[in-house]
Amino acid sequence: MTATHRETRQHAGSVSLAVVRAMLDDAARHDYGPGHRDAPTVLGIYGDPASTEQFRFEQGGVPVQVEPCISALAVREALLEHSPDGWLVVVTDRPEEDLGVGILAHLAGHKLRTPDPWESVRQQFAATGLEAALYADPSSRSLAHGLLLARPDDGWPPAPAGALTRDHALGSVARAWLDVPRRSLDSLGVLRWTARPGLTSLVADLRARVGSELTDTTLAWICTAAGTAGEPLQHLLRRGEIRDALPLGLVLALLVPSHEGSTDFTDGDMVATRNTRELGLARLAHRWHGSAPSRESLRALGSAASQVAGDLLRDRATRDEARELLVRADALLTEVGTPELAAASDVLPSGLTARLHTVAEHLRTATTGTELLDGAAAIADRVSGATNDMEAAWAAVGRHVLGDNDGLGSTDPRLGPVLGAVRLTRWLALDPEPGAEGLAALALRQGTTDSWVDAAVNDTYEGVADPALAEALTAVLSTVETVRDEHDEQFARALATATEHDTGSRDGYLTPPGGTDRVWLLEHLVKGTVVPIARQTPTLLLVLDGMSTGVATEVVADVLGRREGWEEALLPQAHVRGTGLAVLPSLTEVSRASLLSGSLTTGQQGQEQTRYAALVSAFGLRSPQVFHKKPLDTSRPGFAVADDVALAIADTSQDLVTCVLNTIDDALDRSDPAGTAWTADAVKHLRPLLDRALAAGRRVVVTADHGHVVERRRGRQKSAQDASSGRSRSDATPPGEGEVLVRGPRVLKHGGAAVLPFDERLRYGPLKAGYHGGASPAEVVVPVVILVPGQDVPEGTDLRLAPPQTPRWWDIALGEAATVQVEVRSRRTNRPSKPQPQPDALFDPGVVEEPAAPRPTHEVRLGDAIVRSDVWTQQRAVAGRVALEDDQVVAAVEALAAAPSTRLPLATLASVMSLPTTRAQGAVAQLQRLLNVEGYAVVRTDGPLVVLDLPLLQEQFGIGG
């Protein structure tokens, strides 16, 4: 081999399969190759034959034969064996003058082509030129080969504006092989990409396909798109730990918080010290190659990770994978030895746990020692002193992404019981209701307040696995039990007195002193309430056997919450949901028979049918028989409602249709009513019956014959002679502890005198899931709920739409109303007045200007300050006709100001303003007209929430804090 030949061979470059493919594509674009008439099918490449080997493959369905040829003779032999039906690729380092004209004549273009991978890349991207940044690096040839190997089957997207840029080339690889989103990338987009399941496999597959040069360059480009946060991401890339980017970012959010100099706290007293953070950062040093990333970049990664984690959790499609990443983040936080920082995180599961534990501490503080106090008033005084800290801790739970009890689908199972305990603690902090004396007032207390307490007790009794939380729930329930025992005894004593004196039998109802809300004696309910409604409009009466007022709160809330067309209405002269009093003992054969008969009686279904028919006929109403359990259950396969029941409801010439549903009463014997989530679907037949009634336009009255108490495995059995139920007996033995003697015409067992327990833990019979027959308000007081279809009550009725019936403490933190030290003034008076001429002191030294006397200020409630201001007067005039009264605006402002983050659900705000939920949107619009001075968003909506900008409110109305 001559020296010249050796030198020539050294200049012949290597030839890869990717280059061959690209050069074949280019030749085909110039009408060479099989399929083009009389076109050459041989491609000559000037390259090192030692860089490749003989092999065959297909491209575009055309066979390709690659032949490395070290001499002109080898080229001739390859040409002789070549079939024109496919491509022959000759790779040789012989110069064209050695090959001769005869060989060159067989080659496409009659020449050898020198492979330039960047030229092939340019052609594949349909570019007119290349950005210098692509090929300036010494390793750019490997990058070009990688791009050629990475070409997807459908080709690369054409370079925009002609020139192929680094961003377009690497972005195309990232989108084609690493599932990077096509939209512009930022730190949030990059972090969300790192959380993609299967990312590690995608990176490995790309590396195997194109090699490390292009893979690493593409990954680095992706990280660069993350801006400041890209620096630590680059370190993770080099270690192959990109999947840890989001979890590690959540840890960094705690180690390098946005405001390092501030105190991080969630419970008022947890302080994360700088030394703890520095120790955690030091333990992360092994993750960084060379010098550690800057604090600014670590902080940026932490901030982006927190936002992305929250977004992933709120997205149903990514929620499960997000939870896995959060578990990993918690493990990393423990790995660096700083788990105590978790409480500052709004995302980490351990952060939610820490915040719940803080709530538990305040629940225990609020209720510890209450067993030594005398009565509900003393307990309220003790508990109220601790509720502010409890509410702050619970608000911190609400700020946690996983503490959103409604927004995440499957919620943390601890939230429901703890929320129940928080609600109960709010209730415990309330001063005893004034005037809560006498049977009517105490029955209304059960219907409007203690029924919600019963529902919260059921939620809390469900319990949690965490011992620290469970102990706090136990402490709250123990205190609630003390107060409820007091209420139960008060009610039972009043019941005994009223029953003995036959109070209310003449009118059929009781009213509290000075009040107008009626408590119906159940035997008068049909003629006093149901019949008047049925005379005005077709009505469906649903008797849910055994439904307590507590269960009614859940069932009705579910019906109304579905927003399927039902609204609650109030009876004439009523301000709250109706209530009734069961006949005694509160047993089905006594109370239901009396309800459906319209008089005091006992009996079974047969007697109920006969007496009910006589009752409604006496009032001139057309009504079929009562549909009891058996006829309700009889229906054709596939039909939820029996034919005769469906026809009766649809036939509006029948004024009144009555159905008895037994699900709740049956549950007392066979299941666990305390552990049941009582919804419209949980009560058999209820949902389809309501659907039929809605279609027919019927009003619905939902009531019960009696309530029940729940067996919580803490009761005691007492032997009793002549017991008529597990909660009623004769007076052969005088009443003992937890019992009361009732006598009178409304006692239909034991000769008109019976001993009934008011202590819910006392029973006379075997263990069951629940009981009724006693004298506790949960058994005796029954709900009377009126439902109307549509958003307005029908004309010609005395009904009116009801505001939400949930008590204020159910959804709103207790606390004193916000007050301000102000001199209430208009915004106009805030502006400086025109300067007045002043004496010239140079020429009148005897005149001394008196300093302006300070204007007096006084403390007023925030809402009162608003409606007393000049600006309010102006806004009232500008707003024109609005239906809201000043006291409704005051209530709304103060509730919003006291709410966590000054935001409340729309339904809760409606309750505060004593408005039906259907009018809440309109009320908010009126609030905005009144409070959004000059169009500034003092009040705005955020989805289902109403938000108050408190500083802006004070500024716009000229009041200070």
Side-chain angles (χ1 to χ4, degrees):
M1 180 182 295
T2 65
T4 303
H5 185 199
R6 286 196 299 270
E7 183 178 351
T8 302
R9 181 159 184 169
Q10 289 171 355
H11 284 87
S14 62
V15 178
S16 67
L17 173 62
V19 169
V20 172
R21 286 184 177 276
M23 296 181 75
L24 286 172
D25 284 340
D26 181 59
R29 282 195 296 271
H30 288 83
D31 296 332
Y32 294 119
H36 297 91
R37 184 176 179 181
D38 299 328
T41 58
V42 181
L43 180 67
I45 298 177
Y46 178 69
D48 184 359
S51 67
T52 187
E53 59 185 16
Q54 185 184 54
F55 64 95
R56 295 178 64 88
F57 65 93
E58 282 193 0
Q59 180 153 323
V62 177
V64 179
Q65 176 71 36
V66 178
E67 290 287 349
C69 300
I70 62 174
S71 66
L73 181 60
V75 175
R76 289 182 182 278
E77 290 178 353
L79 291 174
L80 290 172
E81 296 177 3
H82 170 54
S83 170
D85 293 334
W87 272 109
L88 170 64
V89 178
V90 173
V91 180
T92 183
D93 59 354
R94 305 313 300 161
E96 289 183 349
E97 56 268 26
D98 282 2
L99 297 180
V101 176
I103 291 178
L104 294 176
H106 291 277
L107 305 183
H110 308 303
K111 64 180 179 179
L112 289 175
R113 297 169 182 255
T114 302
D116 179 357
W118 279 117
E119 176 61 19
S120 298
V121 168
R122 182 192 67 77
Q123 293 171 358
Q124 289 190 353
F125 279 93
T128 57
L130 299 173
E131 184 183 45
L134 273 172
Y135 54 83
D137 191 273
S139 62
S140 66
R141 194 174 183 88
S142 297
L143 191 64
H145 280 289
L147 286 169
L148 294 175
L149 289 170
R151 180 183 182 275
D153 292 339
D154 55 352
W156 291 118
L164 176 60
T165 64
R166 181 181 178 86
D167 284 344
H168 182 72
L170 297 179
S172 298
V173 175
R175 287 186 284 271
W177 300 107
L178 297 179
D179 203 23
V180 170
R182 296 190 176 275
R183 61 182 178 275
S184 298
L185 280 182
D186 56 12
S187 59
L188 302 181
V190 172
L191 265 179
R192 184 156 188 147
W193 168 75
T194 67
R196 184 194 184 285
L199 177 60
T200 303
S201 297
L202 289 179
V203 173
D205 291 345
L206 180 62
R207 195 178 300 278
R209 181 184 186 93
V210 305
S212 293
E213 185 67 33
L214 178 60
T215 301
D216 291 341
T217 303
T218 303
L219 291 173
W221 175 84
I222 294 171
C223 291
T224 302
T228 307
E231 186 182 352
L233 290 177
Q234 295 269 20
H235 286 269
L236 295 175
L237 272 176
R238 296 189 190 105
R239 291 178 55 87
E241 296 175 346
I242 192 64
R243 179 66 174 163
D244 265 354
L246 183 61
L248 187 60
L250 295 175
V251 173
L252 290 171
L254 301 174
L255 297 179
V256 194
S258 298
H259 303 286
E260 256 185 297
S262 66
T263 300
D264 291 335
F265 69 91
T266 57
D267 56 34
D269 52 22
M270 171 176 283
V271 178
T273 65
R274 184 181 299 275
N275 289 339
T276 302
R277 292 174 181 157
E278 293 300 327
L279 178 61
L281 287 173
R283 288 171 175 162
L284 285 176
H286 69 283
R287 288 183 174 267
W288 320 127
H289 276 278
S291 59
S294 67
R295 282 184 176 271
E296 182 183 3
S297 66
L298 296 178
R299 186 177 295 114
L301 179 58
S303 176
S306 297
Q307 183 171 338
V308 170
D311 292 342
L312 292 175
L313 282 168
R314 295 183 185 95
D315 188 339
R316 189 180 300 275
T318 57
R319 188 172 300 155
D320 291 340
E321 66 192 66
R323 292 181 186 277
E324 293 179 8
L325 292 169
L326 293 182
V327 171
R328 173 61 177 158
D330 265 337
L332 289 176
L333 190 65
T334 302
E335 184 180 301
V336 299
T338 57
E340 64 270 25
L341 297 179
S345 173
D346 288 338
V347 180
L348 291 180
S350 57
L352 179 62
T353 297
R355 297 183 186 196
L356 287 173
H357 283 177
T358 302
V359 174
E361 291 173 14
H362 293 302
L363 291 175
R364 283 193 295 268
T365 299
T367 53
T368 297
T370 52
E371 68 277 1
L372 303 177
L373 300 177
D374 184 18
I379 290 175
D381 186 59
R382 165 69 67 82
V383 173
S384 62
T387 54
N388 286 341
D389 289 340
M390 178 202 71
E391 294 291 1
W394 181 247
V397 170
R399 290 192 297 271
H400 197 285
V401 176
L402 297 175
D404 181 355
N405 210 27
D406 299 316
L408 294 182
S410 69
T411 57
D412 191 304
R414 300 171 296 180
L415 292 176
V418 176
L419 174 57
V422 168
R423 286 169 166 165
L424 291 172
T425 304
R426 292 172 183 163
W427 171 74
L428 288 169
L430 295 173
D431 291 328
E433 295 180 18
E437 298 179 358
L439 184 58
L442 297 177
L444 286 171
R445 179 176 68 184
Q446 173 63 29
T448 59
T449 301
D450 286 2
S451 56
W452 297 90
V453 174
D454 292 344
V457 166
N458 283 343
D459 293 340
T460 308
Y461 246 101
E462 183 180 337
V464 294
D466 187 325
L469 296 180
E471 290 175 2
L473 303 187
T474 298
V476 172
L477 288 169
S478 177
T479 305
V480 170
E481 185 177 278
T482 300
V483 177
R484 282 308 312 267
D485 284 350
E486 181 179 314
H487 285 194
D488 290 352
E489 183 169 3
Q490 289 174 346
F491 177 85
R493 302 297 177 201
L495 178 67
T497 299
T499 302
E500 184 170 6
H501 293 90
D502 199 16
T503 306
S505 61
R506 184 184 64 182
D507 297 324
Y509 58 84
L510 307 174
T511 55
T516 59
D517 287 282
R518 297 175 177 180
V519 179
W520 288 94
L521 303 181
L522 209 57
E523 64 272 24
H524 295 280
L525 181 65
V526 171
K527 56 188 174 186
T529 294
V530 180
V531 167
I533 296 175
R535 279 175 165 170
Q536 296 172 335
T537 179
T539 301
L540 172 65
L541 171 61
L542 298 176
V543 180
L544 275 61
D545 198 337
M547 180 174 67
S548 65
T549 52
V551 170
T553 65
E554 299 180 57
V555 173
V556 175
D558 179 63
V559 171
L560 300 177
R562 293 174 184 266
R563 312 309 304 167
E564 293 177 345
W566 290 112
E567 298 295 337
E568 185 171 3
L570 295 181
L571 293 167
Q573 300 179 324
H575 300 88
V576 294
R577 182 177 293 167
T579 54
L581 290 172
V583 184
L584 304 176
S586 50
L587 302 173
T588 300
E589 63 189 273
V590 173
S591 205
R592 195 175 77 191
S594 298
L595 165 68
L596 295 177
S597 301
S599 60
L600 294 170
T601 187
T602 61
Q604 303 299 323
Q605 291 185 17
Q607 291 90 340
E608 290 173 1
Q609 290 281 10
T610 302
R611 296 165 186 168
Y612 171 80
L615 173 64
V616 296
S617 296
F619 289 98
L621 297 179
R622 293 191 61 227
S623 175
Q625 85 262 20
V626 178
F627 294 105
H628 285 89
K629 181 177 181 179
K630 186 175 181 180
L632 286 174
D633 284 340
T634 304
S635 61
R636 288 184 290 159
F639 286 76
V641 180
D643 290 343
D644 50 350
V645 178
L647 290 172
I649 294 174
D651 181 6
T652 54
S653 68
Q654 298 192 31
D655 306 302
L656 180 62
V657 178
T658 303
C659 301
V660 177
L661 311 183
N662 292 88
T663 301
I664 300 172
D665 197 47
D666 291 345
L668 302 178
D669 287 328
R670 296 193 295 267
S671 61
D672 178 14
T676 301
W678 289 111
T679 64
D681 291 322
V683 180
K684 188 176 182 181
H685 302 304
L686 177 57
R687 182 86 182 277
L689 288 173
L690 288 175
D691 289 345
R692 288 284 185 166
L694 186 65
R698 286 185 178 270
R699 305 322 97 169
V700 178
V701 179
V702 183
T703 189
D705 51 352
H706 56 75
H708 66 267
V709 293
V710 175
E711 172 59 60
R712 304 192 189 277
R713 301 302 185 265
R714 298 178 56 248
R716 66 186 188 278
Q717 182 175 356
K718 180 177 181 179
S719 60
Q721 295 181 350
D722 194 20
S724 52
S725 72
R727 296 274 293 171
S728 56
R729 66 177 179 86
S730 72
D731 62 348
T733 302
E737 182 180 359
E739 297 176 314
V740 67
L741 173 64
V742 293
R743 67 181 81 197
R746 297 192 76 245
V747 182
L748 304 188
K749 289 282 189 180
H750 307 292
V755 173
L756 310 178
F758 55 82
D759 180 352
E760 68 174 28
R761 296 171 294 282
L762 178 61
R763 69 179 191 276
Y764 303 133
L767 190 70
K768 294 184 178 181
Y771 317 94
H772 58 95
S776 72
E779 297 165 281
V780 176
V781 179
V782 300
V784 181
V785 181
I786 313 299
L787 299 176
V788 296
Q791 298 187 2
D792 293 296
V793 295
E795 295 183 4
T797 68
D798 297 327
L799 304 175
R800 60 187 177 86
L801 290 181
Q805 296 295 290
T806 51
R808 183 183 177 92
W809 52 264
W810 188 259
D811 290 315
I812 302 177
L814 298 179
E816 296 181 0
T819 59
V820 285
Q821 288 284 350
V822 298
E823 174 211 350
V824 180
R825 60 188 183 276
S826 71
R827 290 175 69 242
R828 292 181 180 275
T829 61
N830 288 336
R831 301 168 184 162
S833 58
K834 182 178 180 180
Q836 298 297 317
Q838 298 294 326
D840 190 339
L842 289 174
F843 299 99
D844 191 2
V847 177
V848 179
E849 183 179 356
E850 291 288 336
R855 296 182 178 182
T857 63
H858 59 284
E859 187 176 83
V860 297
R861 289 172 51 172
L862 176 63
D864 290 337
I866 295 297
V867 299
R868 294 177 188 174
S869 69
D870 293 340
V871 178
W872 175 256
T873 303
Q874 297 168 9
Q875 286 297 105
R876 272 287 190 187
V878 171
R881 183 177 179 181
V882 292
L884 292 181
E885 301 292 339
D886 283 7
D887 58 349
Q888 290 175 305
V889 176
V890 169
V893 167
E894 294 183 351
L896 284 165
S901 303
T902 62
R903 55 184 58 206
L904 282 175
L906 190 62
T908 302
L909 190 63
S911 178
V912 167
M913 299 171 73
S914 300
L915 291 172
T917 305
T918 54
R919 296 179 184 169
Q921 290 279 13
V924 171
Q926 293 190 30
L927 270 180
Q928 292 173 319
R929 287 169 60 188
L930 293 168
L931 298 179
N932 290 4
V933 181
E934 298 177 356
Y936 287 94
V938 172
V939 175
R940 62 182 176 85
T941 57
D942 182 7
L945 299 175
V946 181
V947 185
L948 173 70
D949 188 330
L950 185 56
L952 184 59
L953 172 76
Q954 293 176 321
E955 176 186 346
Q956 293 296 89
F957 282 84
I959 58 177

